[in-house]
Amino acid sequence: MGRNKKIILKYSVACAAMSLALIQGGSAFADDAAGDDDSVRNMNQITVYGEKRETTLQDAPIALSAITSDILDQAGITDPSQLNGYVPGLMITKSGGSERIVTIRGVGQQTPENFATIPGVSFHVDGAFLPNSIALNMGFFDVDRIEVLRGPQGTVFGQSSTGGSINIITKQPTLDEYKGTFKATLGDYNYVQGFASYNVPIGETAAIRGSIQQTSHDGYATATSVDGGYELDDADNEHYRIAGLWEPTDKLSTTLSYTLYNDKHNGGALKNLEDPNPDIRELTQDFPAKFKLRSELATLNVAYELPFATLKSVTSYQDLTHDQSFDADRLDIATYGGYDHVATWATDAETFMEELTISSLPEAPIDWIAGVFYSNTDSAQYVVEYRELGVTSIPPLPVLPKDTPQSAIPGNLAYENISSVNRESIAPFFQATVPIMTNLNATIGARYNDDKYEGEGASYYSTPTQSSFDTQTWTGKVGLDYDLSEDSMLYASWSRGYKPGGLNGGSSGALTVSTTYDEEVVEAIEFGSKNTFLDGRATLNASIFFNQYENMQFIEEDPIPYSGGIGNIPEAETYGLELEGSYLAFDDQLMLGGNMALLDGEVTADYEALDRRLADIAAASAEATGTIYPWTFDWFLARQSAAVQVNGNTPPNLADLTYNLYAAWFQPIGDHGELTSRIENVYVGEYEARIFNTDGADDVSSYSLWNAYFQYKPNEGPWYVSASVTNIADEEGVSGRFVDPYSSGTVSNEYVPPRQLLVTFGFEF
């Protein structure tokens, strides 16, 4: 039994009873409501595209959350990891300071260090699929809204995924007016952000919109053992976008956009749990970490309305270049007894994507869509790591040429790997929603996924080993939705999502880890209800789900150090309850709302996995006997003997409870303007960082944040001023736990940003 199964069952019964009660009472509430204002009636009726069809948030029979640009501004959210608590079941943590681990309902990606893996939660920008989790470091720029689909997406949305999908919809050019926006934000830690955009109509059929943003701030933490101190968790990035719209007729719409992102800062602050300094913002580290990222994304969206259907095409090209260096032991030389430093971890990726769809017209009796998705990615990686114990100084640590002969390898080189992979994916799909009877609709969809990998890899400047791998499988969805009334809906679905298998580029000489890993499949059953009350003034949505994992991908250690890769745990399950709601009261002046997720899960099949930390302890014990020596076969067997049974353990990044509660008050200031005040509480519960559930290494504590936002906007003037305070209590919450599967196997915490005051002045022209 999982740690909260009984609690989940209790909450499930309560949720079902509450939903039925509200559904039965919905008509009476609506009849008694006094407000007739359309803006109130349409509260929470945000237009979304969910499963590639335009609908409203409350009318979509799926677990879908939308976060508008206003909420992003009010909550001070500029980075995906700050979304924790704003979407039920969503958890985003950093891995090693740059890669992102994204899970929804405990399903996602546990293997971001393998640069060729596909995320379990797919990430899209204006329909373009971005396959590398490093792209999430670009943050949010000129966003209209963020749509998060929860649960396997195995039919119509881009790359098939096992956990869900995050879709960024940016602000687009418009034909109607010249319009510009300027925003300047100043805050603690020398925070400076400038944003400007301008929309220019060209005749009656075209428009261009350009936008630019620059963000910088000092570090939230300091590496104290670097001479003079060295800031970490700082920011220095630039964002540029230009988009052109052409609509020669009311049947044809074409949008071409280009986005450039440049980032160069000092790297993330990961504090070793063995750091002797108790201050979480002071890190006893002696290596100046660096982070660089450049991303270019070009996207062409074309929509053409035929007499019987709509034809759409999304074409994109992304070029991503990333390099980082960091202190792998996350201590200084005196505390660690040596050094373990990564001189470079460089990744290059080029992705071409095309998605072509044809779908029914909005008023068609049957809602259907058919299409084909194609993606081709070339990725390359180069890693150079140095490690030496029992020394008192650190020599130069150069990034060696890739053609370095083995005879010239320095003695302190701990690890080196050069890998390249080409991944090609093609997937035709179809989905249709058919009315069965009055108020009852059935949805059925299917997708055939064909993924092929070809690559080569070598470690320690040896001759590359070539390998290939391909996977094919069916995914799909079957669902029912029933309208109890105009304002209440019940839905149920079964869905199957898929994450392809692939290649372990650094495992050619491994003892137990294979050079390939199998595809991951998640089958989900979900029951949900969406309800609107009080003439649109209140909403309550609930969902209960059960996910069945097959071949869950995770980072698997090999008895031979630095030979690990991705493995597959045969079976696991996650389950939970989610609630979302809002209420507008006191003549539309008070808005209350929030969401909650109660989650649990467990591994349900026998599997022995090797924890790097336990393997090191076993190896040291073997050496202490005086009969077993490092890097011998008996030494490898000693390390393998530390493998542990994970059956019954909790899957990683599955917080037992998360919630976000907020209250906003809209106060007229005479006839002059309006003051908006908002306060919120974000809570992220306990979770396990890895599948091993090791005490002291994997158990991550809960945290709670209070944020506040104030904005004054005049009735007539085209300007506003706002102030936000994030992490009011200066909570030292752990936003991510990184147990390094490589190098020294250190355990480190990444903390939420400290308390910060930000003041923004905005102007429209």
Side-chain angles (χ1 to χ4, degrees):
M1 292 282 287
R3 64 189 187 281
N4 286 323
K5 184 176 285 186
K6 292 182 179 179
I7 298 176
I8 287 180
L9 292 175
K10 179 180 70 175
Y11 271 83
S12 298
V13 172
C15 174
M18 182 188 301
S19 297
L20 289 174
L22 288 171
I23 289 166
Q24 294 299 319
S27 297
F29 282 137
D31 292 340
D32 292 341
D36 291 320
D37 190 332
D38 284 343
S39 64
V40 174
R41 191 187 308 276
N42 293 328
M43 182 187 69
N44 218 10
Q45 296 296 301
I46 303 169
T47 299
V48 294
Y49 289 91
E51 294 183 308
K52 297 292 180 66
R53 56 177 178 173
E54 183 175 321
T55 184
T56 64
L57 193 61
Q58 286 301 100
D59 290 335
I62 53 176
L64 169 65
S65 299
I67 304 172
T68 65
S69 58
D70 289 340
I71 297 299
L72 295 176
D73 290 340
Q74 293 176 17
I77 296 173
T78 60
D79 180 273
S81 62
Q82 295 171 302
L83 288 176
N84 293 339
Y86 288 89
V87 175
L90 174 67
M91 176 73 71
I92 302 178
T93 61
K94 294 182 180 179
S95 174
S98 60
E99 299 91 352
R100 304 299 176 104
I101 295 178
V102 184
T103 58
I104 295 177
R105 298 173 169 177
V107 179
Q109 183 183 29
Q110 308 300 329
T111 58
E113 285 82 2
N114 186 316
F115 68 101
T117 56
I118 296 300
V121 176
S122 59
F123 182 61
H124 302 79
V125 177
D126 293 331
F129 169 62
L130 306 184
N132 196 306
S133 67
I134 295 175
L136 287 167
N137 285 279
M138 295 187 297
F140 302 131
F141 167 58
D142 204 17
V143 171
D144 179 71
R145 68 186 182 279
I146 302 171
E147 298 181 9
V148 181
L149 286 79
R150 308 192 298 276
Q153 303 300 312
T155 310
V156 302
F157 218 106
Q159 171 69 46
S160 176
S161 63
T162 51
S165 180
I166 299 176
N167 311 307
I168 310 297
I169 294 90
T170 65
K171 295 180 179 178
Q172 299 296 309
T174 59
L175 302 175
D176 52 352
E177 62 179 338
Y178 291 87
K179 184 177 182 180
T181 302
F182 170 79
K183 291 192 298 182
T185 302
L186 302 176
D188 296 329
Y189 297 91
N190 288 322
Y191 186 100
V192 178
Q193 184 181 80
F195 171 84
S197 67
Y198 197 61
N199 184 83
V200 180
I202 302 175
E204 297 181 352
T205 62
I208 293 178
R209 189 178 195 276
S211 50
I212 181 174
Q213 178 176 286
Q214 193 278 337
T215 305
S216 65
H217 64 72
D218 295 342
Y220 298 141
T222 303
T224 58
S225 296
V226 177
D227 290 342
Y230 188 81
E231 294 184 353
L232 297 170
D233 269 350
D234 61 327
D236 186 5
N237 58 71
E238 300 169 343
H239 240 133
Y240 307 89
R241 178 181 294 124
I242 186 167
L245 170 67
W246 182 50
E247 291 186 353
T249 72
D250 59 358
K251 305 290 186 183
L252 175 64
S253 177
T254 301
T255 304
L256 176 64
S257 65
Y258 170 79
T259 303
L260 171 64
Y261 177 76
N262 273 317
D263 188 351
K264 183 180 180 181
H265 65 269
N266 287 353
L270 280 82
K271 188 176 180 69
N272 194 319
L273 265 59
E274 299 178 0
D275 193 318
N277 190 331
D279 191 329
I280 66 167
R281 309 295 177 186
E282 294 183 359
L283 282 58
T284 309
Q285 297 180 11
D286 55 11
F287 185 79
K290 293 287 187 182
F291 177 93
K292 296 179 182 179
L293 174 64
R294 177 185 172 88
S295 174
E296 296 179 83
L297 176 64
T299 305
L300 174 65
N301 282 272
V302 180
Y304 183 68
E305 186 176 315
L306 301 168
F308 63 94
T310 300
L311 183 66
K312 291 184 178 180
S313 169
V314 180
T315 308
S316 71
Y317 170 80
Q318 184 193 26
D319 186 2
L320 182 147
T321 302
H322 159 255
D323 191 11
Q324 63 177 332
S325 57
F326 54 89
D327 191 330
D329 59 70
R330 292 176 174 99
L331 295 169
D332 62 12
I333 192 170
T335 308
Y336 180 66
Y339 63 86
D340 186 346
H341 297 160
V342 174
T344 184
W345 191 316
T347 304
D348 296 295
E350 289 185 81
T351 300
F352 171 79
M353 188 214 80
E354 170 64 35
E355 186 174 73
L356 187 66
T357 62
I358 184 168
S359 59
S360 58
L361 297 175
E363 303 303 323
I366 296 177
D367 189 351
W368 57 269
I369 182 172
V372 61
F373 170 85
Y374 175 81
S375 177
N376 190 297
T377 299
D378 285 306
S379 302
Q381 178 177 270
Y382 183 40
V383 182
V384 177
E385 179 178 359
Y386 295 93
R387 184 170 186 253
E388 195 171 9
L389 300 177
V391 296
T392 57
S393 63
I394 303 174
L397 305 176
V399 178
L400 301 173
K402 294 182 180 180
D403 59 354
T404 297
Q406 288 187 301
S407 60
I409 294 177
N412 61 343
L413 183 72
Y415 181 66
E416 180 277 337
N417 179 261
I418 300 175
S419 300
S420 62
V421 173
N422 172 264
R423 173 180 174 272
E424 184 178 52
S425 176
I426 185 167
F429 57 87
F430 175 81
Q431 181 167 298
T433 299
V434 182
I436 299 177
M437 61 179 66
T438 303
N439 297 336
L440 179 64
N441 301 308
T443 298
I444 184 168
R447 179 188 187 105
Y448 182 73
N449 306 271
D450 187 350
D451 291 271
K452 294 182 173 64
Y453 287 80
E454 293 183 354
E456 62 178 26
S459 297
Y460 303 102
Y461 302 102
S462 60
T463 301
T465 300
Q466 296 185 344
S467 55
S468 61
F469 189 75
D470 61 88
T471 58
Q472 297 84 29
T473 192
W474 286 92
T475 55
K477 175 181 178 178
V478 177
L480 293 171
D481 63 89
Y482 180 71
D483 293 327
L484 291 167
S485 68
E486 291 185 358
D487 298 320
S488 295
M489 172 207 301
L490 295 176
Y491 66 88
S493 67
W494 168 90
S495 57
R496 188 175 195 261
Y498 149 89
K499 187 164 63 173
L503 305 174
N504 286 320
S507 301
S508 57
L511 192 63
T512 61
V513 175
S514 173
T515 56
T516 63
Y517 55 93
D518 293 332
E519 67 270 19
E520 174 184 286
V521 174
V522 173
E523 295 189 20
I525 297 174
E526 179 172 343
F527 299 93
S529 175
K530 291 191 172 184
N531 309 279
T532 302
F533 312 109
L534 301 176
D535 205 21
R537 281 183 162 80
T539 63
L540 176 64
N541 301 335
S543 59
I544 302 171
F545 69 89
F546 176 84
N547 293 329
Q548 179 66 55
Y549 257 117
E550 180 182 341
N551 289 331
M552 182 174 71
Q553 296 173 5
F554 79 112
I555 295 178
E556 186 165 31
E557 174 70 10
D558 191 80
I560 300 177
Y562 300 104
S563 297
I566 295 177
N568 297 97
I569 293 175
E571 294 178 4
E573 61 187 33
T574 66
Y575 36 84
L577 161 70
E578 299 169 339
L579 294 172
E580 293 180 287
S582 62
Y583 176 54
L584 189 62
F586 293 104
D587 295 326
D588 307 345
Q589 284 190 263
L590 176 65
M591 171 76 82
L592 302 175
N595 70 73
M596 183 198 78
L598 187 66
L599 309 177
D600 202 358
E602 59 186 333
V603 177
T604 55
D606 287 341
Y607 191 84
E608 290 192 348
L610 184 60
D611 183 343
R612 160 65 190 276
R613 293 168 56 80
L614 299 181
D616 288 347
I617 294 173
S621 297
E623 292 174 35
T625 65
T627 60
I628 297 178
Y629 299 96
W631 293 88
T632 62
F633 185 73
D634 288 341
W635 188 74
F636 298 148
L637 292 181
R639 288 174 58 86
Q640 180 61 29
S641 69
V644 296
Q645 178 61 249
V646 298
N647 191 353
N649 286 1
T650 302
N653 298 310
L654 189 66
D656 56 357
L657 173 66
T658 59
Y659 64 74
N660 173 279
L661 301 174
Y662 68 86
W665 181 265
F666 309 97
Q667 178 63 50
I669 308 298
D671 296 329
H672 305 290
E674 184 177 72
L675 175 65
T676 299
S677 303
R678 175 189 169 103
I679 189 167
E680 68 177 6
N681 179 225
V682 178
Y683 177 85
V684 177
E686 299 175 350
Y687 65 93
E688 300 290 338
R690 299 179 304 163
I691 198 66
F692 300 103
N693 293 191
T694 304
D695 291 342
D698 295 322
D699 46 340
V700 182
S701 300
S702 62
Y703 66 86
S704 176
L705 302 179
W706 287 92
N707 305 317
Y709 175 84
F710 307 92
Q711 175 188 277
Y712 174 75
K713 186 173 184 179
N715 293 331
E716 302 297 335
W719 59 272
Y720 71 90
V721 62
S722 67
S724 65
V725 184
T726 55
N727 193 4
I728 295 174
D730 206 20
E731 173 81 10
E732 296 181 351
V734 178
S735 61
R737 170 71 55 78
F738 180 58
V739 185
D740 197 337
Y742 309 114
S743 58
S744 301
T746 56
V747 182
S748 305
N749 281 339
E750 187 140 17
Y751 291 91
V752 299
R755 178 175 51 238
Q756 192 167 23
L757 169 65
L758 302 176
V759 178
T760 299
F761 175 78
F763 184 79
E764 295 182 351
F765 55 94

